[in-house]
Amino acid sequence: MNFKHDIVIVGAGLAGLRAAVECVEEADVAVVSKVLPTRSHSGAAQGGITASIGNEEEDHWEWHMFDTVKGSDYLADQDAVEIMVKDAPRVIYELEHMGVPFSRNKDGKIAQRNFGGHTSEYGKKPVKRACYASDRTGRVVLDTLYDQCLRHRVKFYQEHYVLSLVFEDKKCAGLITYDLSSGELNLIEARAVLLATGGCGRIFKTTSNGFASTGDGLNLAHRAGIPLMDMEFVQFHPTGLYPLGILVSEAARGEGGILRNSLGERFMERYAPTVKDLAARDVVSRAILTEVREGRSFEGGYVHLDLTHLGEKKIIERLWEITSFVRIYLGIDPVYEPIPVYPTCHYLMGGIPTDTDGRVLQDESDAIAQGLYAAGECACVSVHGANRLGCNSLLDTLVFGRRCGMAMKADISKIEHQPVSDEPLEKAKEMLAGLLYHKGYEKIDVVRRNMQSLMMDYCSVFRDEEGLKKELESIRSLKMRFNDVEIVDKGKNFNYELMEAIELGHQLDLAEVILLSALYRKESRGAHFREDFPVRDDTNFLKHTLVFKGQEVRYKPVVITRFQPEARVY
Amino acid sequence: MILKFRIFRYDPEKDDAPYYQSFEIEADPKDRILDCLNRIRAEKDPTLSFRMSCGHGVCGSDGMRINGTSSLACQKLAKDFKESEEVLIEPLQVFRVIKDLVVDMDPFFERYYSVKPYLITRTPPPDTERLQSVEEHRKFEDAIRCILCACCTASCPVNQDKATAGYIGPAALVRAFRYLFDSRDEGREERIALLDNKDGAWGCQTRWMCTKVCPKEIPVTKEIFEIKKRILESKKGKK
Ligand SMILES: Cc1cc2nc3c(=O)[nH]c(=O)nc-3n(C[C@H](O)[C@H](O)[C@H](O)COP(=O)(O)OP(=O)(O)OC[C@H]3O[C@@H](n4cnc5c(N)ncnc54)[C@H](O)[C@@H]3O)c2cc1C
Ligand code: SF4
Ligand code: SF4
Ligand code: FES
């Protein structure tokens, strides 16, 4: 079937829905999502959204900006960061007016809490900057935005999987979707296409990300010739529930939780004397794994997150969800016992390069890819640089989702629908038939588990040249094996096996891009730590990596406005 | 441990009627039932279909009947079941089965939307936030845990009974409660008009199944009762 809309948004997480709400009054908008919209992974966000509204103590956007830039290890583009932190208070009030049920303080205002790396007076002490709804902030914001979309009659193509982007005359003119419930292919023509497809944590064995976080949108863009930026920067969150990797929000430390090693020591005092457990995530993750390496962890390689001194009332009120996970999955009650935690793959700082209005950039000269936009975790504006601070991601999705909506609304008056040939649809058909009917013998699950273990072993918190090179070879041979994958299910009705095969193809391509980016960056910055190059090298590497189709690696400069790079200590 | 499963299968594309299929797999006692189902797909039968997303009880995708009780497969662990007995896995009741454990959620979301699940306000918002005390917030705090998994609605005897299937069901009512009791909301009258009928709040016969199965421990029945009370209060107020 063929459909036509002014604007098509891929992804029903916060970035996609915020953009939809922005332009639905003036344009015909459709949202495509491979899961039912409210199942999008934004709903799993726990801790909060940052804004310097100062409801608990003095705060300023300049402090928020400094912390974000320092957190990024000076790789974030400071013009973009400034836009984001200045817009943050408006974002929070706007959500509140839409109905988001934020938790309240005793004055009846929106309550705020501490989060890692957020400080007052440029690093002096932690500041309460994260606005939250208990530990289900993402859930309630996603629900509120979804309801706004329904109210404004946004068209949803739900449980539709986007197979490819359609380009005509170098302009993005729409996309091809596979309807999971019927197995039919559709061409959806559009004057503007927004990719808001989220992250790719599922490339790694241990992750806080949901099953849908396979990075499809990133690779759809890459296959269409768009470079991917800063892909070596993958965040490992320090406190994944051991051994599942499920997130235990930083809110737990924001509320006073303490990390302890097997000797009972509060080891973060040694790694970050000023802010201790509230240092940036890359710092805390490395600290935990250093404790593990030096033999001060518990058997299996984890440490303890201790909340027992907080008291039941506070724990239940502010950390209900994580208390419930810990009780269900480990049979441990965090009110009385410490929680076993270890680092878990959490967030992709890199992504599809965009300008500050979400327009996709196709090379280092910042030339715009007409008709194509990106926002949210799959985009790289870049506001997070080499390491994202907690609660800055939801902010990113909301600020740049909206800006992207505004830009699309403005741009479509200048863009006509491009006539689309039959070719993209035919190609998609061939691709599916190829997957389904060639003779294969490899199993998706086996190839996938191999990839996940490799990425975990050689490309997670600690990296070095030897490991990365070895892994690159292994991933390349896995890609060969992937060509021989067998799909048993030939049906058209919710054929998840077929969908997962396509996802795996994306994951393998992205793994290779991540490895290449990591191999070429011979320094340590933020989440990218090279044991063979353990210090930051601003002379040679204060620049963004771009990996083009065909694996060509190029660079572009970082935008520095207010804060010159300094040594990064917490 | 070895765990045995008996799973409801139905693919209208090729099956004339639903049937049950047995599987046996090796499981770690700490595995989630969702992990077990994925292992069945990986090792035994890749055509088995079910929804999943977050894997830890926050997205609402994998509501299904496990040994007869509506639950989230990602919240149940292998160790809670006996090796000697088959774990019975079936789709949620009330909804049409599309394939295996995948059911048609459209009617569920339509009813959900029918309660106007958004803040209704008439007074223009202030420059900053609308104030709300901690106590006012607490009134509806339980309700915002809802993840729209539909376990409650699927287990409700009123929804299951063909004669009363028009009942909007507990999940929609939980969302209605969330807005009705939000001190910032100014749509009380229209909300009450929507809820004050036999398929609205009065459809509930206080049979507690919803409360029993809710994976987010929401006091569903109590909240429906509060809605009924509020309807009566507002009627009294009018007289
Ligand atoms: C457990 C957890 C907790 C977090 N907590 C916080 C927090 O407290 N604060 C904070 O700031 N950040 C937090 N983050 C990060 C933040 O939640 C995410 O970065 C953010 O929600 C991403 O939103 P998004 O809109 O970009 O994508 P997502 O919400 O991931 O949505 C992606 C969408 O794309 C769709 N999609 C993907 N591929 C396709 C395809 N091929 N075809 C069709 N549709 C497709 C999916 O269906 C989905 O709708 C957390 C992350 C995790 C994992
Ligand atoms: S309490 Fe009401 S809504 Fe809940 S199961 Fe019983 S009849 Fe249904
Ligand atoms: S009330 Fe509970 S059972 Fe019902 S949809 Fe919400 S979370 Fe699920
Ligand atoms: S998979 Fe999300 S609730 Fe179970």
Side-chain angles (χ1 to χ4, degrees):
Chain A
M1 290 259 276
N2 283 18
F3 301 96
K4 211 174 201 171
H5 297 279
D6 292 332
I7 295 171
V8 174
I9 296 171
V10 190
L14 292 194
L17 295 188
R18 183 62 191 85
V21 168
E22 192 57 34
C23 44
V24 64
E25 298 272 348
E26 283 98 335
D28 165 18
V29 181
V31 174
V32 186
S33 172
K34 62 181 176 180
V35 296
L36 295 173
T38 64
R39 315 313 189 200
S40 298
H41 206 55
S42 288
Q46 301 170 0
I49 312 173
T50 41
S52 57
I53 55 175
N55 279 359
E56 310 285 347
E57 52 190 331
E58 186 183 353
D59 200 3
H60 301 280
W61 68 261
E62 289 90 342
W63 296 352
H64 189 181
M65 176 168 175
F66 171 78
D67 292 337
T68 304
V69 170
K70 178 178 170 187
S72 82
D73 221 346
Y74 297 89
L75 193 71
D77 287 323
Q78 297 187 14
D79 54 341
V81 177
E82 183 163 338
I83 288 174
M84 180 175 83
V85 299
K86 276 185 173 166
D87 199 26
R90 189 200 55 74
V91 165
I92 297 297
Y93 297 135
E94 170 183 271
L95 290 177
E96 200 279 335
H97 296 160
M98 278 183 197
V100 169
F102 284 111
S103 294
R104 302 292 168 147
N105 66 16
K106 60 178 185 342
D107 305 324
K109 292 181 165 185
I110 294 169
Q112 294 186 280
R113 65 177 158 211
N114 290 121
F115 247 79
H118 292 283
T119 68
S120 58
E121 295 179 74
Y122 309 101
K124 285 230 175 87
K125 62 175 185 32
V127 74
K128 293 194 165 82
R129 186 176 286 148
C131 308
Y132 61 94
S134 186
D135 53 349
R136 60 185 76 91
T137 314
R139 173 83 272 135
V140 297
V141 178
L142 186 68
D143 286 352
T144 305
L145 286 177
Y146 177 62
D147 295 342
Q148 292 296 323
C149 286
L150 291 178
R151 197 175 177 182
H152 291 103
R153 314 233 164 272
V154 170
K155 162 88 186 156
F156 280 95
Y157 292 90
Q158 54 198 28
E159 301 190 307
H160 277 238
Y161 185 88
V162 174
L163 286 177
S164 59
L165 299 176
V166 173
F167 278 81
E168 290 289 341
D169 192 21
K170 295 204 170 135
K171 297 189 183 82
C172 187
L175 37 83
I176 306 287
T177 71
Y178 171 83
D179 181 347
L180 280 161
S181 69
S182 68
E184 297 300 323
L185 291 175
N186 301 308
L187 165 68
I188 309 183
E189 292 177 54
R191 295 198 279 177
V193 171
L194 165 59
L195 294 172
T197 51
C200 62
R202 283 273 156 189
I203 296 178
F204 292 81
K205 185 174 161 201
T206 305
T207 179
S208 66
N209 286 195
F211 292 98
S213 301
T214 50
D216 306 351
L218 293 152
N219 204 43
L220 289 175
H222 200 231
R223 282 184 184 163
I226 306 295
L228 293 179
M229 184 158 112
D230 293 342
M231 293 291 285
E232 61 274 44
F233 299 105
V234 178
Q235 177 167 80
F236 278 74
H237 193 294
T239 58
L241 194 62
Y242 178 87
L244 291 161
I246 294 172
L247 187 73
V248 180
S249 171
E250 204 168 284
R253 278 171 290 138
E255 296 293 355
I258 291 172
L259 289 166
R260 294 189 194 282
N261 62 19
S262 60
L263 306 174
E265 293 169 334
R266 183 180 191 178
F267 58 88
M268 281 312 300
E269 282 174 341
R270 275 186 274 124
Y271 299 87
T274 313
V275 296
K276 303 184 182 78
D277 299 89
L278 290 173
R281 289 177 179 170
D282 57 325
V283 176
V284 184
S285 284
R286 276 194 296 277
I288 291 177
L289 291 183
T290 306
E291 293 299 298
V292 172
R293 281 178 166 191
E294 294 176 0
R296 291 185 296 274
S297 66
F298 297 92
E299 201 182 324
Y302 62 87
V303 296
H304 275 158
L305 173 60
D306 187 1
L307 309 183
T308 55
H309 54 289
L310 298 182
E312 180 158 13
K313 185 169 172 284
K314 191 169 181 180
I315 294 180
I316 298 298
E317 202 173 278
R318 314 245 176 112
L319 305 167
W320 191 96
E321 298 285 339
I322 60 177
T323 309
S324 151
F325 308 149
V326 179
R327 285 177 182 163
I328 291 175
Y329 298 115
L330 300 185
I332 284 177
D333 189 342
V335 174
Y336 307 105
E337 281 173 89
I339 309 169
V341 293
Y342 72 149
T344 184
C345 176
H346 186 59
Y347 185 85
L348 177 70
M349 271 72 72
I352 303 164
T354 69
D355 69 9
T356 52
D357 293 310
R359 296 185 185 92
V360 170
L361 306 174
Q362 58 188 7
D363 60 27
E364 61 273 49
S365 75
D366 289 354
I368 283 167
Q370 295 291 333
L372 188 61
Y373 302 76
E377 190 167 335
C378 72
C380 186
V381 185
S382 136
V383 285
H384 310 301
N387 173 66
R388 167 175 78 86
L389 291 191
C391 295
N392 267 356
S393 169
L394 295 188
L395 180 61
D396 169 9
T397 63
L398 295 163
V399 169
F400 294 102
R402 168 172 171 268
R403 290 177 71 89
C404 200
M406 295 195 295
M408 292 193 293
K409 209 158 61 174
D411 293 352
I412 52 169
S413 62
K414 292 169 271 172
I415 312 175
E416 279 308 308
H417 278 288
Q418 300 285 319
V420 174
S421 71
D422 294 338
E423 198 196 314
L425 205 56
E426 288 308 315
K427 267 195 170 158
K429 269 186 201 150
E430 271 169 39
M431 190 270 276
L432 286 189
L435 267 172
L436 283 169
Y437 299 110
H438 83 285
K439 272 220 168 338
Y441 51 87
E442 291 284 0
K443 288 199 158 154
I444 297 171
D445 185 60
V446 174
V447 176
R448 187 171 50 206
R449 272 190 287 134
N450 253 304
M451 167 192 71
Q452 290 168 334
S453 297
L454 282 165
M455 290 301 278
M456 206 66 200
D457 290 347
Y458 299 109
C459 198
S460 51
V461 175
F462 294 112
R463 303 164 170 180
D464 66 22
E465 174 154 336
E466 198 193 323
L468 291 170
K469 277 194 169 150
K470 209 162 91 189
E471 192 195 338
L472 196 56
E473 262 172 52
S474 311
I475 290 287
R476 285 176 178 155
S477 63
L478 275 184
K479 281 177 95 165
M480 306 295 285
R481 285 176 65 184
F482 174 72
N483 291 334
D484 294 319
V485 110
E486 182 196 16
I487 293 173
V488 176
D489 192 348
K490 312 287 183 205
K492 293 189 154 203
N493 191 358
F494 281 93
N495 187 339
Y496 282 123
E497 194 191 9
L498 177 62
M499 183 181 89
E500 286 182 19
I502 300 167
E503 288 174 343
L504 180 57
H506 290 309
Q507 290 173 306
L508 286 164
D509 286 353
L510 292 175
E512 199 174 4
V513 173
I514 293 172
L515 285 166
L516 268 179
S517 312
L519 189 61
Y520 279 62
R521 184 173 286 275
K522 297 184 174 170
E523 64 153 355
S524 290
R525 184 185 296 273
H528 172 71
F529 190 86
R530 286 281 300 258
E531 302 203 74
D532 42 354
F533 299 97
V535 285
R536 192 174 82 194
D537 175 1
D538 287 336
T539 320
N540 294 305
F541 285 103
L542 185 55
K543 56 188 182 185
H544 298 295
T545 311
L546 291 174
V547 176
F548 289 78
K549 202 175 168 177
Q551 302 175 352
E552 192 190 343
V553 181
R554 307 212 291 256
Y555 293 90
K556 81 175 193 187
V558 176
V559 180
I560 294 173
T561 56
R562 286 172 186 264
F563 301 106
Q564 289 304 316
E566 286 173 18
R568 184 167 168 257
V569 274
Y570 282 99
Chain B
M1 62 193 284
I2 303 286
L3 213 51
K4 296 196 220 65
F5 287 88
R6 192 172 154 74
I7 303 182
F8 175 99
R9 301 298 308 265
Y10 181 51
D11 181 357
E13 249 185 69
K14 51 179 213 260
D15 306 325
D16 296 332
Y19 62 99
Y20 287 82
Q21 195 178 359
S22 295
F23 297 98
E24 205 178 280
I25 54 151
E26 175 84 51
D28 186 275
K30 278 192 181 153
D31 278 343
R32 293 161 275 201
I33 293 301
L34 184 66
D35 300 321
C36 299
L37 294 176
N38 274 320
R39 196 156 312 132
I40 291 174
R41 268 182 352 118
E43 293 168 9
K44 312 272 171 176
D45 186 350
T47 69
L48 176 64
S49 298
F50 50 89
R51 293 188 177 104
M52 61 180 177
S53 175
C54 70
H56 62 281
V58 293
C59 79
S61 294
D62 59 344
M64 56 184 75
R65 264 183 306 156
I66 305 179
N67 284 347
T69 306
S70 304
S71 351
L72 301 175
C74 64
Q75 271 195 353
K76 297 287 168 211
L77 302 186
K79 69 173 162 57
D80 302 333
F81 299 88
K82 290 196 193 95
E83 280 191 308
S84 53
E85 286 162 24
E86 280 185 328
V87 184
L88 182 63
I89 306 276
E90 297 165 293
L92 289 180
Q93 288 164 286
V94 171
F95 306 106
R96 180 178 66 91
V97 175
I98 302 179
K99 186 188 173 198
D100 301 337
L101 306 169
V102 178
V103 296
D104 183 3
M105 294 290 283
D106 287 352
F108 176 81
F109 279 99
E110 273 159 30
R111 284 182 179 173
Y112 159 80
Y113 187 64
S114 76
V115 304
K116 302 198 176 178
Y118 41 80
L119 199 68
I120 299 173
T121 54
R122 292 187 180 82
T123 29
D127 289 340
T128 62
E129 67 267 63
R130 291 189 166 91
L131 297 181
Q132 178 167 63
S133 71
V134 173
E135 293 69 37
E136 284 167 334
H137 180 85
R138 197 168 289 139
K139 275 199 185 128
F140 63 96
E141 178 144 47
D142 288 333
I144 62 177
R145 286 204 295 270
C146 176
I147 56 173
L148 301 173
C149 66
C151 285
C152 53
T153 300
S155 318
C156 170
V158 182
N159 284 120
Q160 286 170 5
D161 184 341
K162 287 237 155 46
T164 49
Y167 171 44
I168 61 170
L173 289 172
V174 165
R175 196 49 61 109
F177 173 92
R178 177 247 172 282
Y179 284 103
L180 196 56
F181 286 86
D182 187 329
S183 59
R184 301 169 297 173
D185 192 76
E186 297 169 332
R188 184 179 296 190
E189 303 227 327
E190 29 180 320
R191 294 192 190 284
I192 285 188
L194 282 172
L195 299 166
D196 181 18
N197 57 66
K198 77 170 189 356
D199 285 336
W202 301 110
C204 167
Q205 301 169 7
T206 324
R207 291 165 64 174
W208 297 96
M209 280 310 292
C210 51
T211 307
K212 220 169 106 186
V213 299
C214 175
K216 305 306 282 186
E217 299 171 38
I218 298 168
V220 185
T221 313
K222 191 170 147 267
E223 293 188 350
I224 299 174
F225 182 72
E226 292 291 327
I227 296 178
K228 291 179 181 169
K229 239 169 72 185
R230 177 145 285 188
I231 296 175
L232 292 177
E233 275 164 21
S234 87
K235 282 188 172 163
K236 237 194 237 154
K238 268 192 204 146
K239 269 181 201 159

